Amino acid sequence: VQLQASGGGLVEPGGSLRLSCAVSGFRGYDFYAIGWFRQAPGKEREGISCISLGGHRTYYSQSVKGRFSISKDSASNTVYLQMNSLNPDDTAVYYCAADNYHCDSTWTYREYSHRGQGTLVTVSS
């Protein structure tokens, strides 16, 4: 499974960004959940959001709930993370990941079966 994240950049506080994750090289049930985690300097890794393979279940960590939205386009095998109301605490490298366990609250801290390279998001004025 290959995961290619993109869409990071520099944004001012209160702004928005949309991250994309292109997924390839997988077969039907290579994973059951796909989503995002982030790593900020000096902080622990944090799984922030996931979506089930069928798209029926989503999870958001408390730190992003109500501001971020995850979605998937099965036709293009792409997962999106729409990030609104960004603040400096959201500054981190964001990674796309997939896992062979279902999407639930354990996404926040679990080890993922597959992960891609990161894309840097910087929130600063």
Side-chain angles (χ1 to χ4, degrees):
V1 179
Q2 288 80 48
L3 304 162
Q4 182 79 28
S6 62
L10 174 64
V11 62
E12 292 186 349
S16 298
L17 275 179
R18 188 177 79 159
L19 304 183
S20 299
C21 175
V23 187
S24 61
F26 67 96
R27 295 168 296 180
Y29 292 98
D30 279 340
F31 54 88
Y32 291 101
I34 187 166
W36 301 85
F37 70 93
R38 65 187 181 184
Q39 181 83 58
K43 295 185 179 180
E44 292 186 357
R45 185 191 69 190
E46 177 189 20
I48 57 173
S49 182
C50 62
I51 187 167
S52 63
L53 188 62
H56 304 299
R57 179 183 296 182
T58 59
Y59 163 77
Y60 299 94
S61 66
Q62 280 302 118
S63 61
V64 306
K65 196 171 187 178
R67 301 186 298 123
F68 291 12
S69 178
I70 192 169
S71 61
K72 62 189 292 289
D73 180 354
S74 298
S76 63
N77 294 325
T78 303
V79 177
Y80 301 100
L81 185 69
Q82 178 66 42
M83 306 186 296
N84 299 325
S85 301
L86 286 162
N87 61 65
D89 288 339
D90 296 314
T91 295
V93 178
Y94 285 71
Y95 298 86
C96 184
D99 196 47
N100 57 12
Y101 192 73
H102 299 287
C103 174
D104 61 21
S105 60
T106 62
W107 182 265
T108 299
Y109 54 82
R110 72 170 75 157
E111 295 292 332
Y112 311 105
S113 303
H114 313 280
R115 56 182 284 178
Q117 94 297 344
T119 185
L120 176 63
V121 173
T122 303
V123 185
S124 175
S125 55

